[in-house]
Amino acid sequence: FELDPEILGHAVWVAGLYSFIRDFDMAEKYYRTAIQTFPENTMAYSFLSDMKKYAYGDLDGAGKILKDGMLNVDKPGLLVIHRFRLAMDLREFDDALKLMQEEYEGVSPSLYKGIALSYLGREEEMTVELERSLTNLNAKLITYPEVAYLYDKIGLAHAFLGHKAEAIVAGKMALEIEPVSKHALNGPDHLENLASIYAVLGEGDLALDIVDDLLSYPNNFTRWTLKLNPFFYNLRDLPRYQKLVGELS
């Protein structure tokens, strides 16, 4: 970055690496530099907004960054998935669903609609959307069988449908393709996804075993993630969960 500060990716990825090792002050410094230098690009807004949540539990701050981004970026549609996740963390499930229905133009819209519908208790509509998402995701696997993130999404869809065996198999397959031991950046994402699958399925101890692991080395998962992400809501009455999030305010 110091050699060529005019390249957007340099500042953003330096920030991302600082965030990964949980040096959040330095990460924010470089994200702010990227925004100042390239205010029209979505990456720094989206990553900084995410970091505000998992580093500090600052949902208001995350929302402000996304609002600023919507005013400045040249492709505001790329921020919709981050606005959806913020709405989910805020437990504003109607707003999250509306974003998917009216503004989202990315991949797997049916998955996100189905998840929001699940938290709204609209089970019949949820089932329709999640079954549709599985059809589309499995079709993509034919062309891209080595894309680990497809298995993450398939696992989540099965988990919300209550398909325990299929969900766990898909979650573990993502980790087989990109294990933490070989993929230090992507591997923890897949491990977090497997923890989410276990949590949604009500397998609290298995989910929290993974959480303990994720908290033990550098990655983007924090105790705030555990507290804010509704996927872990089923764990809230467990003493292990309460001990991990109890000091967060």
Side-chain angles (χ1 to χ4, degrees), residues 9-121:
H10 289 179
V12 170
W13 295 119
V14 169
L17 289 172
Y18 273 119
S19 176
F20 197 76
I21 63 172
R22 300 179 179 140
D23 187 341
F24 300 123
D25 289 340
M26 287 297 293
E28 180 158 356
K29 171 187 172 182
Y30 280 96
Y31 282 135
R32 296 289 183 186
T33 298
I35 289 172
Q36 183 177 5
T37 309
F38 297 93
E40 72 280 5
N41 193 281
T42 61
M43 284 196 302
Y45 294 101
S46 59
F47 294 160
L48 179 56
S49 173
D50 288 346
M51 193 192 80
K52 284 289 186 180
K53 293 189 298 179
Y54 65 70
Y56 309 112
D58 184 2
L59 298 179
D60 289 341
K64 183 180 184 303
I65 291 162
L66 290 177
K67 287 179 182 178
D68 289 345
M70 292 295 292
L71 295 173
N72 291 303
V73 301
D74 52 6
K75 296 180 180 179
L78 295 178
L79 293 176
V80 174
I81 187 61
H82 298 276
R83 293 166 60 205
F84 168 82
R85 291 171 180 157
L86 177 60
M88 293 292 291
D89 290 342
L90 286 164
R91 309 301 192 260
E92 295 173 351
F93 303 125
D94 282 309
D95 290 344
L97 178 61
K98 187 176 180 180
L99 281 168
M100 286 296 114
Q101 292 172 329
E102 299 181 3
E103 297 188 43
Y104 185 63
E105 298 179 355
V107 298
S108 305
S110 291
L111 173 63
Y112 302 120
K113 290 178 188 176
I115 289 172
L117 287 163
S118 172
Y119 287 102
L120 289 168

Side-chain angles (χ1 to χ4, degrees), residues 90-182:
L90 286 164
R91 309 301 192 260
E92 295 173 351
F93 303 125
D94 282 309
D95 290 344
L97 178 61
K98 187 176 180 180
L99 281 168
M100 286 296 114
Q101 292 172 329
E102 299 181 3
E103 297 188 43
Y104 185 63
E105 298 179 355
V107 298
S108 305
S110 291
L111 173 63
Y112 302 120
K113 290 178 188 176
I115 289 172
L117 287 163
S118 172
Y119 287 102
L120 289 168
R122 294 160 59 177
E123 293 190 6
E124 290 186 9
E125 296 168 87
M126 174 203 77
T127 299
V128 170
E129 293 292 350
L130 292 179
E131 292 287 3
R132 182 182 292 126
S133 76
L134 283 173
T135 298
N136 294 335
L137 289 166
N138 282 313
K140 290 181 184 295
L141 273 184
I142 296 173
T143 306
Y144 306 105
E146 296 301 314
V147 176
Y149 283 100
L150 288 176
Y151 289 98
D152 285 336
K153 293 179 179 181
I154 289 170
L156 276 178
H158 278 303
F160 277 94
L161 287 167
H163 303 163
K164 183 174 182 178
E166 295 91 336
I168 294 170
V169 166
K172 289 183 175 180
M173 180 61 71
L175 276 166
E176 286 187 23
I177 295 171
E178 291 187 340
V180 176
S181 60
K182 295 182 180 179

Side-chain angles (χ1 to χ4, degrees), residues 163-204:
H163 303 163
K164 183 174 182 178
E166 295 91 336
I168 294 170
V169 166
K172 289 183 175 180
M173 180 61 71
L175 276 166
E176 286 187 23
I177 295 171
E178 291 187 340
V180 176
S181 60
K182 295 182 180 179
H183 297 268
L185 294 178
N186 292 347
D189 289 347
H190 306 311
L191 198 56
E192 177 183 343
N193 191 75
L194 182 58
S196 300
I197 287 170
Y198 281 133
V200 170
L201 292 170
E203 294 287 349

Side-chain angles (χ1 to χ4, degrees), residues 181-232:
S181 60
K182 295 182 180 179
H183 297 268
L185 294 178
N186 292 347
D189 289 347
H190 306 311
L191 198 56
E192 177 183 343
N193 191 75
L194 182 58
S196 300
I197 287 170
Y198 281 133
V200 170
L201 292 170
E203 294 287 349
D205 284 331
L206 292 174
L208 288 169
D209 286 345
I210 294 175
V211 166
D212 287 339
D213 185 27
L214 285 168
L215 292 173
S216 70
Y217 58 86
N219 64 83
N220 288 324
F221 188 90
T222 70
R223 297 183 188 209
W224 279 112
T225 312
L226 181 63
K227 182 173 183 177
L228 295 175
N229 189 330
F231 294 170
F232 297 106

